Amino acid sequence: MDLASLNAFIAIAETGSFSLAGERLFLTQPAISKRIAGLEQQLKVRLFDRLGRVVSLTEAGRALLPRAYQILGVLDDTRRALTNLNGEISGRLTLATSHHIGLHRLPPLLRAFTRAYPQVALDIQFLDSEVAYEEVLHGRAELAVITLAPQTREPVRAVAVWDDPLDFVAAPEHPLAANGPITLKDVAKHPAVFPGGNTFTHHIVRRLFEAQGLTPNIGMSTNYLETIKMMVSIGLAWSVLPRTMLDEQVARLPLEGIQLRRQLGYILHSERTLSNAARAFMTLLDAQADLAPAAAKQLP
């Protein structure tokens, strides 16, 4: 079975488009179509239904997809295992991370890593934490440094590195910031700007409101915390931000008895062989976690 054709098959299955798959693999659409035609001829089944511009997997395609991931995963695993034998820390390290962590947590570690291991080519992908999780799960990234889910299931393993307290914030002139101690019920009456509904942070905050039988008034959403901070600072809404982002542009709301936090850390696929480069980067992350022992624990 041709591995290039399997890569094309996976790209189409994930993007739902021959043209988008071609862009991902730097191939023309006719070249992508030729690879799929060859694969279908070899397997003697149709893998995609093409109805106008809509491309969907057939039953045979759905059966092949997990096996295609497995085949390519085993090949990558074997390649890494053989490369590791020489003990060198070199090659390419594909690292996924969220925009916030990539901007505010990783720069010192990346600087130290590139100085210590100049032979490693870093491929850093800035993705939402939830998307980065899928990249690790399907073997497209060796490591992801992200906001950790409350629970992580095998074959993905999570290791906490940073404890990240979250604070309710508003513009300094916002009514919520000027009335002294307030309750969650008071906050729920005002418009909010939240991270997208698919994010781990959104679920953490929403569960807090639901526990008190409340529904936040979410008027806007974006996955970029810097954009949320800007919207809050000009008085459009309140929100929840990492404490590390607070400055004079926003005011911490005086909500008594409420403490929100999330864990930031890294995830890996427990059934895959890691490259020497990935292991070296994990050592740096673990050393960072050792600076805050309470956060340095493996999550369930």
Side-chain angles (χ1 to χ4, degrees):
M1 189 176 296
D2 181 58
L3 296 176
S5 297
L6 277 182
N7 274 313
F9 167 74
I10 289 173
I12 297 168
E14 291 178 346
T15 63
S17 165
F18 278 66
S19 59
L20 292 177
E23 291 178 10
R24 175 189 287 188
L25 299 176
F26 304 102
L27 296 170
T28 64
Q29 185 170 333
I32 287 285
S33 298
K34 184 176 180 180
R35 290 187 180 185
I36 295 304
L39 187 59
E40 289 179 330
Q41 183 176 7
Q42 184 180 12
L43 297 176
K44 297 181 174 58
V45 293
R46 190 174 183 85
L47 299 172
F48 294 101
D49 284 326
R50 306 162 180 83
L51 302 175
R53 294 187 177 182
V54 178
V55 177
S56 59
L57 287 166
T58 63
E59 183 178 359
R62 289 192 296 271
L64 175 61
L65 186 57
R67 292 170 173 81
Y69 283 130
Q70 184 178 18
I71 291 169
L72 294 180
V74 169
L75 178 63
D76 287 339
D77 191 69
T78 302
R79 185 183 295 116
R80 283 191 293 269
L82 294 176
T83 302
N84 286 349
L85 291 176
N86 61 21
E88 293 182 359
I89 299 177
S90 59
R92 177 174 294 272
L93 172 59
T94 303
L95 176 71
T97 187
S98 68
H99 291 82
H100 175 72
I101 296 174
L103 290 173
H104 296 280
R105 300 281 188 172
L106 282 187
L109 295 178
L110 292 172
R111 187 179 301 113
F113 184 81
T114 55
R115 288 176 178 175
Y117 308 109
Q119 300 304 314
V120 176
L122 277 174
D123 177 13
I124 303 175
Q125 302 175 2
F126 288 90
L127 304 167
D128 291 342
S129 292
E130 299 71 26
V131 178
Y133 180 97
E134 294 296 321
E135 292 297 292
V136 169
L137 180 63
H138 293 305
R140 292 186 292 268
E142 281 199 80
L143 295 175
V145 187
I146 60 172
T147 300
L148 300 179
Q151 289 187 328
T152 304
R153 294 180 175 85
E154 290 289 346
V156 175
R157 183 164 65 91
V159 179
V161 177
W162 300 281
D163 184 57
D164 199 35
L166 301 170
D167 288 322
F168 284 81
V169 294
E173 65 276 9
H174 194 283
L176 288 171
N179 290 336
I182 56 176
T183 66
L184 208 58
K185 186 175 181 180
D186 296 324
V187 174
K189 296 175 183 176
H190 293 264
V193 55
F194 262 37
N198 64 322
T199 63
F200 299 141
T201 305
H202 178 105
H203 294 310
I204 290 171
V205 180
R206 188 148 202 138
R207 279 198 297 268
L208 176 66
F209 280 87
E210 290 173 349
Q212 296 192 24
L214 299 170
T215 301
N217 179 12
I218 303 173
M220 297 169 284
S221 65
T222 173
N223 288 357
Y224 296 100
L225 295 181
E226 286 75 14
T227 303
I228 290 177
K229 181 180 178 181
M230 181 274 293
M231 291 181 174
V232 169
S233 70
I234 61 177
L236 289 179
W238 63 266
S239 190
V240 173
L241 288 174
R243 189 169 296 167
T244 54
M245 293 184 68
L246 270 57
D247 56 24
E248 70 280 355
Q249 297 180 62
V250 296
R252 184 179 177 186
L253 297 181
L255 276 158
E256 295 182 355
I258 291 180
Q259 294 184 342
L260 278 182
R261 58 200 336 107
R262 61 184 187 172
Q263 295 293 322
L264 311 179
Y266 66 90
I267 60 172
L268 63 148
H269 198 298
S270 62
E271 297 175 0
R272 309 220 176 213
T273 300
L274 292 174
S275 65
N276 290 338
R279 293 184 184 278
F281 197 78
M282 286 169 56
T283 298
L284 284 179
L285 289 165
D286 292 338
Q288 187 72 27
D290 289 340
L291 299 176
K297 62 180 183 299
Q298 182 175 323
L299 297 183

